């Protein structure tokens, strides 16, 4: 940790990531200042971080600052980070900080990294389960919730790291032992400025020794082809070619790491359907790159349980299933969610963050029984439905509660349908976060239709 000792470091942001970064910097011997726009957040840190200077609302780094560690959501054009760049002060993220601190260890942990527009959290959860089934001291960290510096300082041997595009933007030197790019679709364009900028950030995960990517998407396949990694591995929903993982005769099959190997039955993968299978193939590829056996892959996938609000079954009533996929916070994730059902009443809406829903609606119109739209950008989704699915009944609800939305969806549904909350948008217009939105949906379903039948 010697490179940080005695250095003056400014931490931008007093949330979970900022606190962990500040603690790690203190432990490394740095002189630490934390700034945030919220004086209350800074005050909450005071008893937790003795010895740290807490300064609200800095618009420029103090003259003595040599490094800025930013929380991932802070944009490069924010006043503080712009001023730091203009002054020649390096700006990195907490993930980059963890990487640099790891390089100073005699025996640093292996990084197995995951990014993509959709499926990141499920994939790192599957990967963690597989690694633990192999007896490896591993933990899921990064964008999944546990800061990477905390996992590093806890001494974990393998880090299953979920990386957002923001985190990758602020991590210029991270080179994971193996990294996977799951998929790409429009998201966070308001932050990155363009799809190309977003894709370039995501492609940072492919710069280590082994690069893995979903080759059914030509754009992603091209990024894999152009990766500087020594080893390129694709995964596909179809039968795999040499150098790929894929699906053959109802099983996940590895044709990339050694002789052709059957890994696990498709029936063991949860969540099921094409998105879950793709995530399982990606997780298996990273685990196999680390030398994990096929048997551990099978046991890890069999034991894995998806997290809350990710294609989570709520109840069934009158032959209609109700599914909470509040984690589908962009159009690509919502498209994957809808594809898991034959006939859907779609509950959607929120903050689209500049993304278009036209491709989603055009592709999935044939399976829509109806749509119930809420939130700030409900009108944008309604217009796309009008253009590409004019025969689909649509309820656009102004100033609606989630119970209003569930009642409207219930009135459209028929036996055999699924009412699916797959918002295609962020939640902060109406809710604290996607988990709050998902709980509101589940509570509304149980209030409107009753407990029905629950799956084990």
């Amino acid at each position: 940790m010697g490179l940080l000792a005695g250095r003056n470091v400014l931490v931008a942001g007093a949330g979970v990531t900022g606190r962990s970064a500040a603690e790690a910097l203190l432990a490394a011997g740095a002189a630490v200042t934390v700034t945030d726009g919220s004086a209350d957040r800074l005050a909450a840190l005071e008893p937790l971080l003795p010895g740290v200077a807490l300064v609200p609302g800095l618009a420029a780094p103090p003259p003595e600052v040599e490094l800025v560690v930013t929380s991932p959501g802070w944009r490069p054009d924010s006043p503080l980070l712009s001023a730091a760049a203009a002054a020649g002060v390096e700006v990195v993220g907490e993930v980059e900080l963890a990487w640099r601190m790891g390089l100073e260890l005699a025996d640093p942990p292996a990084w197995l990294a995951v990014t993509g527009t959709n499926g990141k959290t499920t994939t790192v959860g599957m990967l963690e389960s597989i690694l633990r089934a192999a007896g490896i001291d591993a933990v899921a960290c990064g964008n999944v919730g546990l800061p990477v510096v905390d996992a590093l300082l806890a001494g974990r041997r393998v880090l299953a790291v979920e990386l957002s595009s923001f985190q990758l933007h602020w991590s210029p030197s991270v080179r994971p032992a193996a990294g996977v790019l799951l998929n790409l679709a429009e998201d966070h364009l308001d932050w990155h400025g363009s799809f190309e900028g977003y894709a370039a950030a995501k492609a940072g995960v492919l710069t280590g020794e082994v690069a893995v990517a979903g080759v059914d998407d030509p754009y992603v396949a091209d990024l894999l082809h152009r990766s500087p990694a020594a080893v390129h591995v694709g995964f596909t929903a179809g039968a795999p070619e040499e150098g790929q993982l894929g699906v053959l005769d109802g099983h996940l099959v590895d044709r990339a790491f050694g002789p052709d190997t059957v890994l696990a039955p498709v029936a063991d993968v949860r969540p099921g359907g094409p998105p879950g299978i793709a995530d399982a193939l990606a997780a298996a590829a990273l685990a196999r790159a680390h030398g994990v056996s096929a048997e551990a892959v099978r046991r890890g996938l069999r034991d894995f349980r998806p997290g809350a609000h990710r294609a989570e079954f709520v109840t069934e009533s009158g032959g209609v299933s109700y599914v909470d996929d509040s984690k589908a916070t962009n159009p690509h994730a919502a498209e994957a969610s809808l594809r898991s059902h034959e006939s859907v009443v779609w509950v959607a809406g929120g903050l689209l963050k500049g993304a278009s829903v036209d491709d989603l609606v055009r592709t999935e119109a044939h399976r829509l029984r109806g749509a119930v739209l809420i939130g700030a950008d409900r009108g944008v989704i309604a217009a796309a439905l009008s253009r590409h699915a004019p025969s689909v009944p649509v309820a656009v609800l102004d100033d609606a509660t989630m119970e209003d939305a569930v009642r409207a969806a219930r009135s459209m549904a028929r036996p055999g349908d699924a009412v699916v909350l797959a918002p295609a948008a962020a939640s902060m217009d109406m809710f604290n976060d996607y988990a709050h939105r998902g709980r509101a949906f589940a509570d509304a379903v149980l209030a409107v239709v009753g407990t029905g039948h629950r799956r084990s």
Side-chain angles (χ1 to χ4, degrees):
M1 314 293 177
L3 291 177
L4 291 166
R7 297 190 70 187
N8 286 284
V9 183
L10 174 64
V11 175
V16 173
T17 299
R19 173 185 167 183
S20 292
E23 289 175 336
L25 288 162
L26 280 177
V32 182
T33 301
V34 179
T35 189
D36 194 279
S38 168
D40 290 341
R41 272 200 298 267
L42 286 173
L45 290 186
E46 190 168 8
L48 304 173
L49 297 173
V52 170
L54 304 172
V55 184
L58 283 178
E64 67 275 11
V65 166
E66 304 165 75
L67 175 70
V68 176
V69 178
T70 180
S71 295
W74 284 47
R75 293 167 57 121
D77 59 0
S78 65
L80 174 61
L81 303 188
S82 294
V89 177
E90 186 180 22
V91 181
V92 301
E94 172 265 334
V95 173
E96 177 74 12
L97 175 66
W99 177 257
R100 295 183 185 184
M101 293 176 69
L103 293 179
E104 297 187 34
L105 299 176
D107 186 18
W111 287 47
L112 304 177
V114 177
T115 198
T117 303
N118 182 39
K120 297 184 294 297
T121 301
T122 298
T123 302
V124 293
M126 288 175 168
L127 177 59
E128 179 189 61
S129 182
I130 292 168
L131 294 168
R132 290 183 175 179
I136 296 170
D137 179 24
V139 67
C141 56
N143 196 53
V144 72
L146 175 69
V148 185
V149 288
D150 289 353
L152 177 78
L153 296 177
R156 300 290 191 158
R157 299 309 309 136
V158 179
L159 308 183
V161 189
E162 177 183 329
L163 294 174
S164 70
S165 59
F166 306 154
Q167 289 169 317
L168 283 161
H169 175 89
W170 295 119
S171 303
S173 67
V174 170
R175 302 290 181 268
V180 63
L181 176 56
L182 299 170
N183 44 57
L184 277 177
E186 287 187 346
D187 199 15
H188 301 301
L189 303 190
D190 52 346
W191 200 95
H192 291 280
S194 68
F195 178 74
E196 290 73 22
Y198 171 68
K202 290 289 194 183
V205 82
L206 302 177
T207 56
E209 182 180 348
V210 179
V212 182
V215 294
D216 292 339
D217 181 333
Y219 194 100
V220 175
D222 182 61
L223 290 175
L224 176 64
H225 176 72
R226 293 190 278 121
S227 160
V231 178
H232 292 179
V233 176
F235 67 89
T236 174
E241 299 176 2
E242 187 175 350
Q244 296 180 346
L245 282 75
V247 179
L248 190 63
D249 297 329
H251 288 79
L252 308 187
V253 176
D254 173 9
R255 298 196 63 202
F257 300 97
D260 294 2
T261 305
V262 174
L263 299 176
V266 167
D268 282 356
V269 175
R270 284 182 297 270
I277 293 167
D279 296 342
L281 289 166
L286 293 182
R288 296 286 283 168
H290 191 66
V292 170
S293 69
E295 171 60 21
V297 172
R298 185 187 67 79
R299 285 189 284 114
L301 290 176
R302 182 193 61 206
D303 294 344
F304 174 72
R305 296 293 181 273
H309 315 297
R310 297 174 181 89
E312 186 175 12
F313 177 81
V314 178
T315 193
E316 182 179 313
S317 179
V320 177
S321 297
Y322 293 81
V323 178
D324 166 17
D325 204 355
S326 183
K327 186 67 167 63
T329 56
N330 58 65
H332 190 257
E335 180 179 339
S337 183
L338 297 180
R339 285 208 318 266
S340 298
H341 308 276
E342 291 186 6
S343 182
V344 179
V345 177
W346 181 30
V347 181
L351 295 169
L352 287 170
K353 302 171 292 182
S356 168
V357 294
D358 284 84
D359 286 347
L360 158 62
V361 172
R362 187 185 301 110
T363 302
E364 304 306 321
H366 67 283
R367 69 180 78 247
L368 296 180
R369 172 80 68 185
V372 178
L373 307 179
I374 60 175
D377 287 332
R378 59 192 179 277
V380 177
I381 303 175
L385 285 160
S386 178
R387 284 191 295 272
H388 305 296
S391 63
V392 172
V394 177
V396 181
L397 305 185
D398 299 331
D399 300 321
T401 67
M402 194 60 87
E403 285 195 14
D404 295 331
V406 170
R407 287 192 188 93
R410 183 190 191 191
S411 71
M412 294 179 180
R414 302 291 180 266
D417 290 347
V419 172
V420 180
L421 173 69
S427 57
M428 285 75 74
D429 55 335
M430 294 176 64
F431 305 95
N432 295 333
D433 51 30
Y434 78 83
H436 180 204
R437 178 171 60 190
R439 290 192 300 271
F441 175 77
D443 290 346
V445 167
L446 299 180
V448 172
V449 307
T451 55
H453 302 287
R454 294 181 179 273
R455 297 175 187 167
S456 60

